[in-house]
Amino acid sequence: MKVLMINGSPKDNGNTFTALSEVAKALNGEGIETEVIGIGKQAVQGCIACGMCGRIGKCTFNDDLYYRVFRAVRDGIDGLVIGSPVYYGGPNGSLCAFLDRMFYSMGQYLQYKPGASVVVCRRGGATAAFDRLNKYFTIMNMPIVSSQYWNMAYGQSPRQVAQDEEGMQTMRTLGRNMAWLIKKLDVAHDGHPQREQAVWTNFIR
């Protein structure tokens, strides 16, 4: 069993990575493999609504970041954790640009897999960023994994977040809860609820 973790911070070893690492340790302790992919510092292409992914099965922009995530998701994951620093009360814009492409083009591989978001901030805006990230899961039939508190931690300078004892405990609880849910669901073998044919209601006709 494997969980993919996306580090939405341009800092490879900053506070977001530290928080995700705490989740990963708990998952590993429950026998769940983890892989962390960071978005890095390069410019990230956003979705241009070309619809090409619906025809070729993947995003038309086959950059290295997209390819790495696409390969991991396509090859089979059992859960997804997305981490981000908080910028102006929201997730990193580069991360959101990537997630728009990811969820639109990889939805078939993500359906019914447990998902969780993790946010790190200096002081405020964490709940708004947390809510924004969770919307990706709730439009894709993905169960959201909760913890003992909202999945947020506090810190400014690199690895300062490790001093947030409650935040780190929240991350560990999240990891254990995700491991428990993955094992209970076993989507790969048990399947998922029958879906109705999609209905589209447009407000302007």
Side-chain angles (χ1 to χ4, degrees):
M1 294 181 172
K2 180 179 179 179
V3 170
L4 174 63
M5 313 183 85
I6 296 179
N7 179 6
S9 171
K11 299 178 180 178
D12 293 335
N13 296 297
N15 285 314
T16 302
F17 177 77
T18 301
L20 288 174
S21 296
E22 200 72 7
V23 180
K25 289 176 187 176
L27 283 164
N28 298 157
E30 296 293 330
I32 307 290
E33 180 186 354
T34 54
E35 178 183 4
V36 180
I37 297 179
I39 65 168
K41 294 181 172 65
Q42 299 299 316
V44 178
Q45 173 67 51
C47 178
I48 60 171
C50 66
M52 186 62 73
C53 59
R55 296 192 286 275
I56 66 175
K58 62 183 182 64
C59 182
T60 189
F61 298 111
N62 197 24
D63 50 271
D64 181 62
L65 173 62
Y66 179 87
Y67 179 73
R68 289 178 63 201
V69 173
F70 177 77
R71 184 174 57 184
V73 171
R74 180 200 58 194
D75 290 349
I77 60 171
D78 300 284
L80 176 66
V81 179
I82 300 171
S84 179
V86 175
Y87 294 170
Y88 291 94
N92 179 2
S94 294
L95 172 65
C96 290
F98 177 74
L99 292 178
D100 288 348
R101 292 167 57 206
M102 175 185 174
F103 276 78
Y104 202 69
S105 64
M106 302 183 205
Q108 61 178 317
Y109 303 110
L110 297 171
Q111 300 274 345
Y112 304 102
K113 306 289 180 65
S117 58
V118 167
V119 294
V120 176
C121 70
R122 182 190 71 84
R123 185 169 178 84
T127 53
F130 182 61
D131 177 65
R132 173 74 172 85
L133 290 176
N134 284 338
K135 284 182 168 60
Y136 286 102
F137 307 128
T138 56
I139 201 172
M140 205 56 65
N141 294 298
M142 297 174 69
I144 294 181
V145 183
S146 60
S147 186
Q148 65 192 49
Y149 194 78
W150 298 308
N151 306 333
M152 57 186 68
Y154 293 84
Q156 182 177 15
S157 58
R159 292 177 293 279
Q160 192 178 58
V161 72
Q163 299 176 40
D164 179 2
E165 294 183 6
E166 183 177 355
M168 291 298 96
Q169 186 178 67
T170 299
M171 298 302 129
R172 293 191 296 273
T173 302
L174 172 63
R176 289 191 292 267
N177 286 353
M178 174 165 272
W180 175 82
L181 186 57
I182 287 173
K183 293 173 182 178
K184 290 293 184 181
L185 285 176
D186 197 8
V187 175
H189 297 95
D190 297 338
H192 51 73
Q194 182 178 356
R195 293 185 60 184
E196 296 182 18
Q197 183 175 353
V199 176
W200 295 77
T201 300
N202 297 322
F203 296 105
I204 304 297
R205 297 184 182 274

